Amino acid sequence: MQGKIVASAAAYASSSTSPAAVSLFSIHSSHQSPTTKILHLIRHAEGTHNLNEEESKLPLHFDAKLTERGVAQCNQLAKRTKDLDVEAIIVSPLTRTLETSILSFPHLYKSNNDDARGDDGSDSSGSSKKTVVPFVAYEEWRETVNFLCDCRSSLTQLKQLYPNVCFNNLAQHQDNDPLWAHYESIYGDHNAHRSKRESDDPISLYNRSHAAWKALLNRPEKKLALVGHSAFFMHNFTPLFEEMNGVVRYEDSIVQELMSSTFDNCELKSVKIDFHQGS
């Protein structure tokens, strides 16, 4: 069974055949190169699945939404984000992260006819999808695929609910969640297997993490915000598996201390990122 997991996970991450390790620097570091970017990382606000770990595995929390407290957390964060200089919002395609991104950056999600951009970040006066900066979903940045709360809604539903978010980076020919389907084909549905799935698959995490960082580093913007998830962040910043060592490299003690602590709901951490020298 493990061989089947490894083979399928490696095939999924074909975009990461040339691994791109990422270097992290303190936000106040003097490091600067043509490929350096500012990155503001945010964990989603409190979701319904965060209230009870066992209940998070039930159908009730499929693609978990934010709680009332989670919405309030976003409203508080929005008071800070209005002062951030951000050129694009990168977001996991799960409901709790999409809601967090929109509620935490309302001044950027709201259509602005004088300064509106399309999905690719260019001027888009003729487009019906307008936000001040692009809001772009990446499958690579979603939560580790373990329980029903980590299964995403269909692409059709997401486009209807969040018409101003760009979903072009998701597999357009697969309406339902291909990552959940992959692990379901191995373990069975949530009734047959209620333990971890992708979090026990370091090869998938390795491939997906490389693809996720490469997506950020290859974007044209220099100042990004990323709304993601605690477990996927943890596997990158404080890895449990030997395979994950070196995906993220700390270049100073300040950023290492910052990123080595877990993310609270709706917590914001700011760093500089760059391609690792020699990668």
Side-chain angles (χ1 to χ4, degrees):
M1 180 177 291
Q2 182 64 23
K4 183 176 180 181
I5 296 175
V6 170
S8 298
Y12 151 73
S14 59
S15 63
S16 64
T17 52
S18 299
V22 65
S23 286
L24 266 62
F25 301 82
S26 165
I27 190 67
H28 300 299
S29 167
S30 61
H31 174 82
Q32 191 64 41
S33 81
T35 54
T36 304
K37 297 179 187 289
I38 299 295
L39 179 63
H40 306 286
L41 299 107
I42 300 166
R43 180 192 174 191
H44 65 79
E46 183 184 77
T48 59
H49 66 304
N50 292 137
L51 300 179
N52 185 299
E53 184 176 352
E54 280 305 308
E55 280 194 6
S56 69
K57 304 173 185 178
L58 301 178
L60 173 66
H61 300 285
F62 173 88
D63 194 6
K65 298 176 175 59
L66 296 185
T67 63
E68 289 186 8
R69 182 169 182 262
V71 172
Q73 289 172 336
C74 293
N75 292 336
Q76 285 298 311
L77 181 58
K79 297 176 182 179
R80 297 176 57 195
T81 62
K82 65 182 180 180
D83 295 323
L84 295 180
D85 184 5
V86 174
E87 298 170 332
I89 311 294
I90 308 302
V91 59
S92 151
L94 299 188
T95 294
R96 56 190 179 272
T97 39
L98 290 163
E99 290 180 338
T100 299
S101 69
I102 293 168
L103 293 172
S104 299
F105 293 90
H107 60 295
L108 299 182
Y109 189 73
K110 184 184 297 183
S111 177
N112 182 328
N113 291 331
D114 295 327
D115 188 20
R117 304 185 184 186
D119 293 339
D120 61 357
S122 61
D123 292 339
S124 57
S125 58
S127 172
S128 61
K129 297 181 179 180
K130 293 182 179 179
T131 53
V132 177
V133 302
F135 281 65
V136 188
Y138 279 89
E139 199 92 77
E140 293 87 345
W141 279 104
R142 61 186 291 180
E143 182 60 298
T144 50
V145 183
N146 293 314
F147 311 115
L148 284 178
C149 59
D150 306 319
C151 185
R152 72 159 168 79
S153 300
S154 72
L155 187 55
T156 298
Q157 290 175 308
L158 293 176
K159 288 181 174 181
Q160 291 174 345
L161 291 170
Y162 309 102
N164 290 344
V165 174
C166 172
F167 294 103
N168 292 345
N169 296 292
L170 277 61
Q172 299 296 309
H173 61 286
Q174 299 185 55
D175 192 46
N176 292 319
D177 186 347
L179 291 183
W180 180 265
H182 162 65
Y183 287 105
E184 193 171 61
S185 71
I186 298 169
Y187 295 112
D189 66 15
H190 72 282
N191 288 313
H193 185 83
R194 295 201 177 191
S195 187
K196 296 176 181 177
R197 296 171 185 241
E198 191 179 23
S199 283
D200 284 337
D201 184 358
I203 301 301
S204 176
L205 292 170
Y206 173 86
N207 286 331
R208 187 151 74 86
S209 294
H210 276 303
W213 288 111
K214 183 177 287 188
L216 293 191
L217 291 165
N218 286 345
R219 286 197 62 85
E221 303 90 359
K222 295 295 186 181
K223 300 169 184 176
L224 301 168
L226 167 65
V227 183
H229 303 265
S230 61
F232 193 62
F233 285 168
M234 178 271 293
H235 282 294
N236 277 270
F237 302 129
T238 56
L240 301 176
F241 298 113
E242 183 179 354
E243 290 88 342
M244 294 296 292
N245 291 333
V247 174
V248 170
R249 308 190 186 194
Y250 296 117
E251 302 297 344
D252 59 66
S253 59
I254 296 175
V255 74
Q256 183 170 10
E257 182 177 359
L258 174 69
M259 303 310 294
S260 294
S261 61
T262 57
F263 278 73
D264 293 330
N265 286 121
C266 225
E267 184 174 5
L268 164 68
K269 299 183 182 184
S270 300
V271 300
K272 285 183 177 180
I273 64 172
D274 207 340
F275 284 108
H276 180 70
Q277 295 298 320
S279 64

